[in-house]
Amino acid sequence: MRVGVPRETKNNEYRVALTPAGARELHLRGHEVLVETNAGVGSAIENDEYVLAGARIVSSADDVWGESDLVLKVKEPTSEEYRQLRSGLTLFTYLHLAASRETTEALMSSGINAIGYEMVQTDDGRLPLLAPMSEVAGALAPQIAAHAMLKPNGGRGMLFGGVTGVYAAQVVVIGAGASGMRAAQIAAGMQARVVLMDNNIAALAAADHFFRGAVQTVVATTDSVERAVLAADVVIGAVLVRGAKAPHVVTNEMVAAMKPGSVLVDLAVDQGGCFEDTRPTSHDDPTYRVHGSIFYAVSNVPGAVPATSTVALTNATLPYAVALADRGFETATATDRALAAGVNVAGGTLVAEAVAAAHGFEWQPFGG
């Protein structure tokens, strides 16, 4: 099979979907790997490294998309890539279709097979391809918030961990999944006062065991979230509903009553955001103000550390990419329930119920 890796076109997206080590694995299994020239440069990977791994460098995105049977990407297709979508092609990438009606319509009208990394789910409920990037985003969130809190950047002018005799920042993390847990861990390591909230008691119990009192855990209700947000200097939103739009847990009314210069980082922006006032931003213009608070809502946070993110992503996705290349879309999804769970569009038919609900589309169960 021909496996294509185009250069990412999203604003300031420096990751690439496959490392040379991943390309070598595919090559050794008899597949031809096509990599767009300089696709890996943003992740400190040169063309020659792919060539040594057995891949072929091609000069344009048109060559990758046009010649490939399976395309591996990091982010959902941008509008300039819609013309590349076609029947008979399988696309394997982060899709987050519940947040984009336009992308959903483009995939459906093309007749493509599209599998979303974020939807691949094992029998025990894990999301193995979402987890590594969630961990990266969670690790970055407190660093991002600390930078935004600096007075020259418009923040409150607080030191995250405080100093002797002075309160540290109050950080509220909403969501105790992979990104929320990592955000709480890093924030606590920066000596902030951290509150971790979730509506899943079992998740909070696991967090209590992990943090051993270093982080306060609180059940997330409308009342408790409001109280926590109003007392916070930083709020990190890490709410996830698999495949669906994120619920708005922080309202405009809450933000209006927050401390001036407070910072809100929405890690759920790919799924529409868990703050009412969230709108997607980019790395070159990451923040905006709502009332007196600073919002950070970059939709590809891990793209800021591509040398780490690209390796972590390939480590997770490679076994599934190999399965798709070895067996083809139909057989691979028929024999791997985790992979089948990731299918959003099959032959142009929408098969993801949560995406259909987000946009009011009809859908059909996937029979992979």
PDB file of all heavy atoms in Angstrom, residues 252-266:
ATOM      1  N   ASN A 252     -20.363  32.957  30.587  1.00  0.00           N
ATOM      2  CA  ASN A 252     -19.963  34.357  30.473  1.00  0.00           C
ATOM      3  C   ASN A 252     -20.220  35.093  31.775  1.00  0.00           C
ATOM      4  O   ASN A 252     -19.430  35.955  32.195  1.00  0.00           O
ATOM      5  CB  ASN A 252     -20.730  35.011  29.316  1.00  0.00           C
ATOM      6  CG  ASN A 252     -20.408  36.483  29.171  1.00  0.00           C
ATOM      7  OD1 ASN A 252     -21.009  37.324  29.835  1.00  0.00           O
ATOM      8  ND2 ASN A 252     -19.455  36.794  28.311  1.00  0.00           N
ATOM      9  N   GLU A 253     -21.310  34.748  32.436  1.00  0.00           N
ATOM     10  CA  GLU A 253     -21.650  35.389  33.708  1.00  0.00           C
ATOM     11  C   GLU A 253     -20.587  35.121  34.764  1.00  0.00           C
ATOM     12  O   GLU A 253     -20.208  36.012  35.541  1.00  0.00           O
ATOM     13  CB  GLU A 253     -23.006  34.887  34.191  1.00  0.00           C
ATOM     14  CG  GLU A 253     -23.504  35.553  35.464  1.00  0.00           C
ATOM     15  CD  GLU A 253     -24.852  35.030  35.890  1.00  0.00           C
ATOM     16  OE1 GLU A 253     -25.361  34.058  35.274  1.00  0.00           O
ATOM     17  OE2 GLU A 253     -25.410  35.593  36.852  1.00  0.00           O
ATOM     18  N   MET A 254     -20.074  33.886  34.797  1.00  0.00           N
ATOM     19  CA  MET A 254     -19.000  33.565  35.735  1.00  0.00           C
ATOM     20  C   MET A 254     -17.747  34.378  35.428  1.00  0.00           C
ATOM     21  O   MET A 254     -17.100  34.927  36.329  1.00  0.00           O
ATOM     22  CB  MET A 254     -18.666  32.073  35.677  1.00  0.00           C
ATOM     23  CG  MET A 254     -19.737  31.133  36.178  1.00  0.00           C
ATOM     24  SD  MET A 254     -19.166  29.407  36.009  1.00  0.00           S
ATOM     25  CE  MET A 254     -20.694  28.510  36.204  1.00  0.00           C
ATOM     26  N   VAL A 255     -17.390  34.451  34.156  1.00  0.00           N
ATOM     27  CA  VAL A 255     -16.181  35.172  33.758  1.00  0.00           C
ATOM     28  C   VAL A 255     -16.296  36.643  34.131  1.00  0.00           C
ATOM     29  O   VAL A 255     -15.322  37.266  34.581  1.00  0.00           O
ATOM     30  CB  VAL A 255     -15.918  34.998  32.247  1.00  0.00           C
ATOM     31  CG1 VAL A 255     -14.724  35.842  31.806  1.00  0.00           C
ATOM     32  CG2 VAL A 255     -15.671  33.531  31.912  1.00  0.00           C
ATOM     33  N   ALA A 256     -17.474  37.208  33.975  1.00  0.00           N
ATOM     34  CA  ALA A 256     -17.683  38.614  34.305  1.00  0.00           C
ATOM     35  C   ALA A 256     -17.398  38.902  35.766  1.00  0.00           C
ATOM     36  O   ALA A 256     -17.027  40.030  36.133  1.00  0.00           O
ATOM     37  CB  ALA A 256     -19.117  39.018  33.955  1.00  0.00           C
ATOM     38  N   ALA A 257     -17.569  37.893  36.620  1.00  0.00           N
ATOM     39  CA  ALA A 257     -17.373  38.083  38.057  1.00  0.00           C
ATOM     40  C   ALA A 257     -15.980  37.650  38.528  1.00  0.00           C
ATOM     41  O   ALA A 257     -15.679  37.737  39.721  1.00  0.00           O
ATOM     42  CB  ALA A 257     -18.440  37.297  38.827  1.00  0.00           C
ATOM     43  N   MET A 258     -15.127  37.187  37.606  1.00  0.00           N
ATOM     44  CA  MET A 258     -13.783  36.749  37.987  1.00  0.00           C
ATOM     45  C   MET A 258     -12.865  37.931  38.271  1.00  0.00           C
ATOM     46  O   MET A 258     -13.164  39.082  37.939  1.00  0.00           O
ATOM     47  CB  MET A 258     -13.178  35.866  36.886  1.00  0.00           C
ATOM     48  CG  MET A 258     -13.831  34.506  36.748  1.00  0.00           C
ATOM     49  SD  MET A 258     -13.052  33.493  35.452  1.00  0.00           S
ATOM     50  CE  MET A 258     -11.460  33.123  36.230  1.00  0.00           C
ATOM     51  N   LYS A 259     -11.727  37.628  38.875  1.00  0.00           N
ATOM     52  CA  LYS A 259     -10.734  38.657  39.175  1.00  0.00           C
ATOM     53  C   LYS A 259     -10.181  39.267  37.877  1.00  0.00           C
ATOM     54  O   LYS A 259      -9.914  38.529  36.921  1.00  0.00           O
ATOM     55  CB  LYS A 259      -9.574  38.057  39.970  1.00  0.00           C
ATOM     56  CG  LYS A 259      -9.958  37.386  41.270  1.00  0.00           C
ATOM     57  CD  LYS A 259      -8.762  36.634  41.844  1.00  0.00           C
ATOM     58  CE  LYS A 259      -9.132  35.819  43.066  1.00  0.00           C
ATOM     59  NZ  LYS A 259      -7.984  35.031  43.581  1.00  0.00           N
ATOM     60  N   PRO A 260      -9.990  40.568  37.827  1.00  0.00           N
ATOM     61  CA  PRO A 260      -9.358  41.180  36.639  1.00  0.00           C
ATOM     62  C   PRO A 260      -7.973  40.568  36.413  1.00  0.00           C
ATOM     63  O   PRO A 260      -7.208  40.370  37.349  1.00  0.00           O
ATOM     64  CB  PRO A 260      -9.255  42.655  37.015  1.00  0.00           C
ATOM     65  CG  PRO A 260     -10.304  42.860  38.058  1.00  0.00           C
ATOM     66  CD  PRO A 260     -10.360  41.582  38.825  1.00  0.00           C
ATOM     67  N   GLY A 261      -7.678  40.264  35.157  1.00  0.00           N
ATOM     68  CA  GLY A 261      -6.378  39.685  34.823  1.00  0.00           C
ATOM     69  C   GLY A 261      -6.277  38.199  35.038  1.00  0.00           C
ATOM     70  O   GLY A 261      -5.197  37.620  34.864  1.00  0.00           O
ATOM     71  N   SER A 262      -7.371  37.550  35.421  1.00  0.00           N
ATOM     72  CA  SER A 262      -7.362  36.097  35.539  1.00  0.00           C
ATOM     73  C   SER A 262      -7.200  35.468  34.155  1.00  0.00           C
ATOM     74  O   SER A 262      -7.477  36.104  33.137  1.00  0.00           O
ATOM     75  CB  SER A 262      -8.639  35.597  36.213  1.00  0.00           C
ATOM     76  OG  SER A 262      -9.780  36.068  35.522  1.00  0.00           O
ATOM     77  N   VAL A 263      -6.757  34.217  34.135  1.00  0.00           N
ATOM     78  CA  VAL A 263      -6.439  33.538  32.875  1.00  0.00           C
ATOM     79  C   VAL A 263      -7.273  32.273  32.755  1.00  0.00           C
ATOM     80  O   VAL A 263      -7.381  31.495  33.712  1.00  0.00           O
ATOM     81  CB  VAL A 263      -4.939  33.179  32.803  1.00  0.00           C
ATOM     82  CG1 VAL A 263      -4.631  32.402  31.524  1.00  0.00           C
ATOM     83  CG2 VAL A 263      -4.094  34.440  32.878  1.00  0.00           C
ATOM     84  N   LEU A 264      -7.859  32.058  31.581  1.00  0.00           N
ATOM     85  CA  LEU A 264      -8.606  30.836  31.293  1.00  0.00           C
ATOM     86  C   LEU A 264      -7.996  30.152  30.078  1.00  0.00           C
ATOM     87  O   LEU A 264      -7.887  30.773  29.006  1.00  0.00           O
ATOM     88  CB  LEU A 264     -10.084  31.135  31.031  1.00  0.00           C
ATOM     89  CG  LEU A 264     -10.858  31.733  32.211  1.00  0.00           C
ATOM     90  CD1 LEU A 264     -10.893  33.259  32.097  1.00  0.00           C
ATOM     91  CD2 LEU A 264     -12.281  31.193  32.282  1.00  0.00           C
ATOM     92  N   VAL A 265      -7.570  28.909  30.241  1.00  0.00           N
ATOM     93  CA  VAL A 265      -6.969  28.115  29.163  1.00  0.00           C
ATOM     94  C   VAL A 265      -7.938  26.994  28.823  1.00  0.00           C
ATOM     95  O   VAL A 265      -8.222  26.138  29.667  1.00  0.00           O
ATOM     96  CB  VAL A 265      -5.606  27.534  29.594  1.00  0.00           C
ATOM     97  CG1 VAL A 265      -5.015  26.689  28.462  1.00  0.00           C
ATOM     98  CG2 VAL A 265      -4.648  28.653  29.993  1.00  0.00           C
ATOM     99  N   ASP A 266      -8.449  26.989  27.594  1.00  0.00           N
ATOM    100  CA  ASP A 266      -9.447  25.993  27.196  1.00  0.00           C
ATOM    101  C   ASP A 266      -8.799  24.919  26.334  1.00  0.00           C
ATOM    102  O   ASP A 266      -8.564  25.115  25.135  1.00  0.00           O
ATOM    103  CB  ASP A 266     -10.601  26.657  26.439  1.00  0.00           C
ATOM    104  CG  ASP A 266     -11.831  25.747  26.366  1.00  0.00           C
ATOM    105  OD1 ASP A 266     -11.673  24.526  26.532  1.00  0.00           O
ATOM    106  OD2 ASP A 266     -12.937  26.267  26.132  1.00  0.00           O
TER     107      ASP A 266
END
